Amino acid sequence: MLGRLNHVAIAVPDLGAASAVYRTTLGAKVTDPQALPEHGVTVVFIDVGNTKIELLEPLGENSSIAGFLQKNPAGGMHHVCYEVADIIAARDQLKASGMRILGEGEPKTGAHGKPVLFLHPKDFQGTLVELEQI
Ligand SMILES: CC[C@H](C(=O)O)C(=O)SCCNC(=O)CCNC(=O)[C@H](O)C(C)(C)COP(=O)(O)OP(=O)(O)OC[C@H]1O[C@@H](n2cnc3c(N)ncnc32)[C@H](O)[C@@H]1OP(=O)(O)O
Ligand SMILES: [Co+2]
């Protein structure tokens, strides 16, 4: 089921400040901010060759990452995203093995314009897992 590691996501309280740290101290090329209101976040990506770093900050009132940032006010590792060839087949296989699919269980369109799903962190060793269909 698993393909490449598409990205590692870091939730931050201030996307501009976090982007500046990556740009000035690590020489990173940071994409322009991309507002994703349907996901309640604004994101940027940093391509590191073999994968990407996604920096994300809350957007709007009930952002799905607000709770995480309350617990981690300075920010922190938020999720990993794995690529899958067939997200519906992956979803159905995971559901059959008792894993919890977050949201209504139907893929939404992610930052890369591809279908994505999220798996409950409690089912994956305390790590929020995103699947993105390539
Ligand atoms: C798709 C666009 C973009 C892309 O890459 O294309 C993105 O990645 S957008 C990313 C933002 N969207 C999401 O994260 C959607 C999925 N997330 C959720 O539905 C929620 O964040 C959820 C349900 C994982 C947690 O929501 P919340 O924190 O409000 O709920 P709880 O406090 O009840 O949390 C339950 C339990 O899980 C622990 N938790 C929460 N977030 C994480 C996390 N990122 N990693 C690990 N664990 C997490 C939380 O601490 C609670 O644990 P407990 O021991 O019960 O306190
Ligand atoms: Co992501």
Side-chain angles (χ1 to χ4, degrees), residues 2-121:
L2 286 188
R4 288 177 59 246
L5 174 67
N6 182 276
H7 60 270
V8 175
I10 300 170
V12 298
D14 180 336
L15 191 60
S19 300
V21 167
Y22 269 74
R23 207 179 279 119
T24 57
T25 61
L26 297 173
K29 260 207 184 118
V30 185
T31 63
D32 292 338
Q34 194 182 349
L36 299 168
E38 68 283 14
H39 296 282
V41 294
T42 302
V43 304
V44 298
F45 283 95
I46 294 142
D47 191 329
V48 293
N50 57 349
T51 190
K52 292 188 175 79
I53 303 300
E54 178 182 54
L55 303 177
L56 60 160
E57 73 172 6
L59 174 65
E61 289 313 303
N62 11 327
S63 170
S64 52
I65 68 168
F68 180 88
L69 284 170
Q70 257 149 23
K71 291 182 183 164
N72 308 276
M77 297 269 280
H78 185 260
H79 64 271
V80 292
C81 179
Y82 302 117
E83 293 177 357
V84 293
D86 181 337
I87 201 162
I88 299 302
R91 178 200 62 188
D92 294 348
Q93 189 179 326
L94 288 160
K95 273 168 80 171
S97 41
M99 298 294 120
R100 287 168 282 183
I101 312 294
L102 295 172
E104 300 76 46
E106 289 308 315
K108 282 187 176 178
T109 303
H112 298 132
K114 307 274 179 64
V116 299
L117 279 173
F118 287 88
L119 311 177
H120 203 291

